Amino acid sequence: MLERARCLDVGDPLKEFRERFDVPEGVIYLDGNSLGCLPKATPERLEQVVREEWGRDLIRSWNSAGWIDLSSKIGTKIAPLIGARADEVIACDSTSINLFKLISAALAMRPGRKVVLSEPGNFPTDLYMIEGLERQGLTERRLAPREALADALDGDVALLLLTHTHYKTGELFDMAALTHAAHEAGALVLWDLSHSGGALPVDLNGCEADFAVGCGYKYFNGGPGAPAYAFVAERHLKAARQPLTGWMGHAAPFAFSDDYKAAPGVEKLLCGTPPILGLAALEVGVDLVAEIGVDRLYEKSQALSEFFRQCLSERGVVLDLVSPTDPDARGSQLSFRHDEAYAICQALIARGVIGDFRDPDILRFGFAPAYLRFEDMAEAARHLAEVLETGEWQCAEFRQRAAVT
Amino acid sequence: MLERARCLDVGDPLKEFRERFDVPEGVIYLDGNSLGCLPKATPERLEQVVREEWGRDLIRSWNSAGWIDLSSKIGTKIAPLIGARADEVIACDSTSINLFKLISAALAMRPGRKVVLSEPGNFPTDLYMIEGLERQGLTERRLAPREALADALDGDVALLLLTHTHYKTGELFDMAALTHAAHEAGALVLWDLSHSGGALPVDLNGCEADFAVGCGYKYFNGGPGAPAYAFVAERHLKAARQPLTGWMGHAAPFAFSDDYKAAPGVEKLLCGTPPILGLAALEVGVDLVAEIGVDRLYEKSQALSEFFRQCLSERGVVLDLVSPTDPDARGSQLSFRHDEAYAICQALIARGVIGDFRDPDILRFGFAPAYLRFEDMAEAARHLAEVLETGEWQCAEFRQRAAVT
């Protein structure tokens, strides 16, 4: 297997990009869908921002280093990677905060309709942000399993909020079909691209999506807690209003007027002062993804995950796959259900194979193809087979839950 | 003047701390109230976070490097500097976002009252965040000039929201008296400490304040767009609910349940994934302020600003001071009104004296005593006198407004 893997690596058109990341020695990192690896260019760029832009040029850098436009600039770079126009995307705040803005905007655009529809088991923060607005009395949360979503789209639904690639299973929604169904029912659609952006081609405008949000620290390699991004379709830019009306979303922030006037473009999604360190790191990661290209990334991630399955199969490992078997139906991950998923995950980490666990019983492997090799797949499969064969996961130390699992 | 200044510097008990900051050669930086200087320890700390915690340890750092608790940890460090208990403060999001959370929390705690009272000319984002909630139909914004605030505190007022140190004039509110007046009227109080925290002693609990927010990138030297902080008085921690209910504010974020259950403590103010790079830089700045002590900082800033006024006076410079003449009645700044404030500010910057301009006619000088010398005061006064005498501010180049003013 290892030999075949190495042959595949030799023929890999993306092989040169691994060198652009700081992949730690002795680690097979299958958790780039939780926190992307460090691009080698990032420390130097951050050092420049810190020592020169902040340390030396100080407050002047808002103009001279373009800090004031950094959120928009990164948005224009993310835009083509998700099928958006340059003026429809902005990098800011967290995914959660951006969800709040866009759920609110959608509700205001559908007066008389109060329901936000999603699915149970969606990423928690998506569901919780609907609840926040529900507690404000501004919406009603409705959850329907994915097979029942179309039926649940009645005349009360203002917004359909779904995560394109499911965080646990990796299952993909048919963005075009569900967006169309929602529009037919008179509802708007907000797509959470956290596990899609930078991992696979997304065509927001081709699908006529209304709104989207996404995460900067997974496949965009922006660093821990990197700023997120948000998309508003050009046709809604004028009407969309969001309640987090901080000074940076004002049409003229430095006029310091008492009354809020929203910026005309997607900058109206800005709220407080932009986090420059986080944005600077995010830009490096986004630039790298743009250079590689999401089509090529997805093609390789599909090849990696299929090869991983082959390796497991050839080693006789039988695990309950909860991700779709068809690689076109899933994002860049494979998830398996196992009662001892947590302990197995810990035993793998002790061997240098970093995947992750999702409560209660999911063992999740993410395939970030910018820095993973086929050799890593063969080795990860070997380690997983050995962990299961030896039963080493039964050690007490692997069962003790850490604060973050 | 310069000689007297140098004598004062020799006797300055804080003189050693200037060496802990990277103050650029040839610059007199009177804008630490807008963006604090770079602590010399910050680049190294960030390099460690980036290369070791992110690059090498990757996702494991949420546990091993304590990322998951960083927001709370920094909160406990800020707490004693603002008269709060360790469990009442948390570092997160932006000042604007934190305003939204706490205005919302206050409104929910005063059912039947809809008004949020503030003053015209408060920092714009404070006023705009009230407007955001007003547009949601959840509040009514009422503005009253500071001398009329007490009268405006009627039975409709749920919350009094004021900025402790005024961003333009530096004027201080009497926190104890206004908090008491609001409580007498049945209202809660939210103090914006953006221009106070890290600059002067604040006693939130001594004043029986209910809520507070503040900024990390001014006197706390956390870097451009640093995370902000928020305070909830212990007696309100149980009742306070805020609508930005992201997964990090959940009592058990890694249980990944569909339903939100707020964390019991001040962690309920968390929303999305915390911005680790920004928090790491903020921690260095906060540590430095804690080491120096806010009492000593304020004492020196008062001495600096008074000395600056003396220097101006001895040079015969007559400017319209809009800050209180009594140093106990103002924060760490002096502001002057001048029709040509913008151009004068630019002419000073060209000479290496960085103050700032606030629309339409305010020339603002901030005194961040951790890294400023009395010599800087004498020199800044000389430059200002020369700029006014020579009329060099009349150059066309100094009148062209930049994007950020």
Side-chain angles (χ1 to χ4, degrees):
Chain A
M1 303 253 37
L2 201 53
E3 211 168 311
R4 206 159 83 239
R6 285 175 179 155
C7 284
L8 288 166
D9 283 326
V10 169
D12 172 15
L14 304 192
K15 67 185 169 195
E16 77 213 72
F17 288 104
R18 180 176 168 89
E19 288 308 310
R20 307 279 290 278
F21 290 87
D22 192 4
V23 186
E25 201 63 45
V27 164
I28 298 174
Y29 193 60
L30 306 181
D31 210 8
N33 51 336
S34 191
L35 173 65
C37 269
L38 171 65
K40 281 188 181 161
T42 302
E44 200 178 324
R45 172 70 187 120
L46 273 173
E47 174 125 358
Q48 184 188 30
V49 170
V50 171
R51 288 194 191 272
E52 296 174 23
E53 299 181 8
W54 171 15
R56 186 191 64 200
D57 298 339
L58 287 157
I59 194 72
R60 294 168 289 195
S61 288
W62 284 106
N63 291 307
S64 61
W67 287 352
I68 198 67
D69 297 317
L70 198 48
S71 297
S72 304
K73 184 183 169 203
I74 297 171
T76 66
K77 291 179 171 191
I78 292 173
L81 308 175
I82 56 174
R85 286 171 34 158
D87 60 351
E88 292 174 323
V89 183
I90 195 153
C92 55
D93 293 315
S94 63
T95 306
S96 303
I97 297 284
N98 290 335
L99 283 165
F100 191 85
K101 295 173 190 166
L102 295 179
I103 298 168
S104 302
L107 285 166
M109 287 168 66
R110 288 291 178 273
R113 291 172 173 236
K114 276 196 81 170
V115 171
V116 176
L117 175 63
S118 191
E119 62 165 346
N122 190 357
F123 188 75
T125 220
D126 297 69
L127 301 180
Y128 301 162
M129 295 316 289
I130 308 173
E131 274 188 273
L133 279 151
E134 194 171 40
R135 211 166 292 110
Q136 285 187 303
L138 299 174
T139 190
E140 186 187 309
R141 188 180 83 161
R142 181 186 294 173
L143 304 183
R146 52 181 65 196
E147 61 279 8
L149 280 170
D151 284 342
L153 273 167
D154 62 24
D156 295 326
V157 177
L159 178 73
L160 175 63
L161 162 56
L162 296 172
T163 298
H164 182 228
T165 303
H166 195 278
Y167 80 103
K168 259 189 190 170
T169 68
E171 191 175 352
L172 286 172
F173 271 113
D174 182 335
M175 183 180 284
L178 271 151
T179 302
H180 181 72
H183 287 175
E184 285 288 298
L188 296 161
V189 185
L190 165 51
W191 288 101
D192 183 340
L193 304 178
S194 290
H195 287 267
S196 300
L200 50 94
V202 174
D203 190 6
L204 288 171
N205 281 331
C207 297
E208 298 186 336
D210 302 293
F211 304 108
V213 297
C215 174
Y217 54 78
K218 299 178 187 295
Y219 295 102
F220 279 119
N221 309 301
Y229 56 93
F231 157 89
V232 176
E234 192 274 339
R235 66 186 176 282
H236 297 317
L237 274 176
K238 197 166 174 188
R241 296 299 297 265
Q242 59 91 9
L244 300 175
T245 48
W247 71 313
M248 284 293 157
H250 195 283
F254 297 94
F256 291 93
S257 75
D258 281 356
D259 298 310
Y260 187 77
K261 183 170 178 281
V266 74
E267 289 75 18
K268 67 170 63 171
L269 295 189
L270 292 176
C271 184
T273 306
I276 298 303
L277 304 185
L279 286 168
L282 175 60
E283 188 176 14
V284 176
V286 169
D287 282 343
L288 247 174
V289 171
E291 184 183 340
I292 308 174
V294 281
D295 291 292
R296 293 205 294 172
L297 284 166
Y298 191 42
E299 196 179 333
K300 180 174 167 190
S301 90
Q302 292 181 307
L304 286 170
S305 60
E306 285 299 283
F307 185 66
F308 182 65
R309 289 182 64 209
Q310 274 173 40
C311 293
L312 287 179
S313 161
E314 289 185 23
R315 288 188 176 276
V317 174
V318 180
L319 278 171
D320 177 14
L321 179 69
V322 297
S323 304
T325 52
D326 174 6
D328 284 339
R330 64 179 188 245
S332 289
Q333 71 183 73
L334 286 174
S335 299
F336 302 94
R337 181 172 288 121
H338 194 293
D339 285 346
E340 297 291 346
Y342 183 77
I344 293 168
C345 181
Q346 294 304 308
L348 283 170
I349 290 173
R351 284 166 168 261
V353 180
I354 305 181
D356 69 13
F357 161 79
R358 282 296 172 252
D359 218 36
D361 55 4
I362 298 292
L363 187 58
R364 186 176 73 161
F365 300 110
F367 305 97
Y371 45 83
L372 286 178
R373 300 165 302 193
F374 290 89
E375 180 181 331
D376 297 321
M377 301 299 103
E379 284 296 277
R382 176 176 66 78
H383 283 294
L384 178 51
E386 288 175 6
V387 162
L388 292 169
E389 276 160 31
T390 60
E392 68 195 51
W393 54 268
Q394 295 175 47
C395 285
E397 62 170 312
F398 295 143
R399 289 160 172 269
Q400 278 181 351
R401 294 276 179 106
V404 179
T405 57
Chain B
M1 305 251 37
L2 202 52
E3 213 168 309
R4 206 160 82 238
R6 285 176 180 156
C7 283
L8 289 166
D9 284 326
V10 169
D12 171 15
L14 304 192
K15 66 185 171 197
E16 77 213 73
F17 288 105
R18 180 176 167 90
E19 288 309 309
R20 307 279 290 278
F21 290 87
D22 193 3
V23 185
E25 201 62 47
V27 164
I28 298 174
Y29 193 59
L30 305 181
D31 209 9
N33 50 335
S34 191
L35 173 65
C37 269
L38 171 65
K40 280 187 180 161
T42 303
E44 200 178 324
R45 172 72 188 121
L46 273 172
E47 173 126 359
Q48 184 188 30
V49 170
V50 171
R51 290 195 191 270
E52 295 173 25
E53 298 181 8
W54 172 14
R56 184 191 65 198
D57 297 338
L58 287 157
I59 195 73
R60 294 168 290 194
S61 289
W62 284 105
N63 290 308
S64 62
W67 287 352
I68 198 68
D69 297 317
L70 198 48
S71 298
S72 304
K73 183 183 170 203
I74 297 172
T76 65
K77 291 179 172 192
I78 292 173
L81 307 174
I82 55 174
R85 285 170 35 157
D87 59 352
E88 293 174 322
V89 183
I90 194 154
C92 56
D93 293 315
S94 62
T95 306
S96 302
I97 298 285
N98 290 336
L99 284 165
F100 191 86
K101 295 173 190 166
L102 295 179
I103 298 169
S104 303
L107 285 165
M109 287 167 67
R110 286 292 177 273
R113 291 173 173 235
K114 278 197 80 171
V115 171
V116 176
L117 175 63
S118 191
E119 64 165 342
N122 190 357
F123 188 74
T125 221
D126 297 69
L127 301 180
Y128 301 162
M129 296 316 290
I130 309 173
E131 274 189 272
L133 278 152
E134 193 172 41
R135 210 167 293 110
Q136 284 187 302
L138 299 174
T139 189
E140 186 188 308
R141 188 179 82 161
R142 181 186 295 172
L143 303 184
R146 52 179 67 193
E147 61 278 8
L149 280 170
D151 284 341
L153 274 167
D154 63 24
D156 295 326
V157 178
L159 179 72
L160 175 62
L161 161 56
L162 295 172
T163 299
H164 182 228
T165 303
H166 196 278
Y167 80 103
K168 261 190 189 171
T169 67
E171 191 174 354
L172 286 172
F173 271 113
D174 182 336
M175 183 179 283
L178 272 150
T179 302
H180 182 71
H183 288 174
E184 286 287 299
L188 295 161
V189 186
L190 165 51
W191 288 101
D192 183 339
L193 303 179
S194 290
H195 287 267
S196 301
L200 50 94
V202 173
D203 189 6
L204 288 171
N205 281 331
C207 297
E208 300 186 335
D210 302 292
F211 304 108
V213 297
C215 174
Y217 54 78
K218 299 178 187 296
Y219 295 101
F220 280 120
N221 310 300
Y229 57 93
F231 157 89
V232 175
E234 193 274 339
R235 66 186 177 282
H236 297 317
L237 274 176
K238 195 165 177 190
R241 296 299 296 265
Q242 59 92 10
L244 300 175
T245 48
W247 70 313
M248 284 293 157
H250 195 283
F254 297 95
F256 292 93
S257 75
D258 282 356
D259 298 309
Y260 187 78
K261 182 168 178 284
V266 73
E267 291 73 19
K268 65 170 64 170
L269 295 189
L270 292 176
C271 183
T273 306
I276 299 303
L277 304 186
L279 286 169
L282 175 60
E283 188 177 15
V284 176
V286 169
D287 281 342
L288 247 174
V289 171
E291 185 183 343
I292 309 173
V294 282
D295 291 290
R296 293 205 293 171
L297 284 166
Y298 190 43
E299 196 180 332
K300 181 174 167 190
S301 91
Q302 292 182 307
L304 286 170
S305 60
E306 285 298 283
F307 185 65
F308 183 64
R309 288 181 66 208
Q310 274 173 40
C311 293
L312 287 179
S313 162
E314 288 185 24
R315 288 188 177 276
V317 175
V318 180
L319 277 170
D320 177 14
L321 179 69
V322 297
S323 304
T325 52
D326 174 5
D328 284 339
R330 64 179 188 245
S332 289
Q333 70 182 73
L334 287 174
S335 299
F336 301 95
R337 181 171 289 122
H338 194 292
D339 286 346
E340 297 292 345
Y342 183 77
I344 293 168
C345 181
Q346 294 304 307
L348 282 170
I349 290 173
R351 285 166 167 261
V353 180
I354 304 181
D356 70 12
F357 162 79
R358 283 296 173 253
D359 217 36
D361 55 6
I362 300 292
L363 187 58
R364 186 177 72 161
F365 301 110
F367 304 97
Y371 44 82
L372 286 178
R373 300 166 302 194
F374 289 90
E375 180 181 331
D376 297 320
M377 301 300 102
E379 284 295 279
R382 176 177 65 78
H383 284 294
L384 178 52
E386 288 176 6
V387 162
L388 292 169
E389 274 161 33
T390 61
E392 69 196 52
W393 54 268
Q394 295 174 46
C395 286
E397 63 170 311
F398 295 143
R399 289 160 173 270
Q400 281 181 351
R401 294 276 179 108
V404 179
T405 58

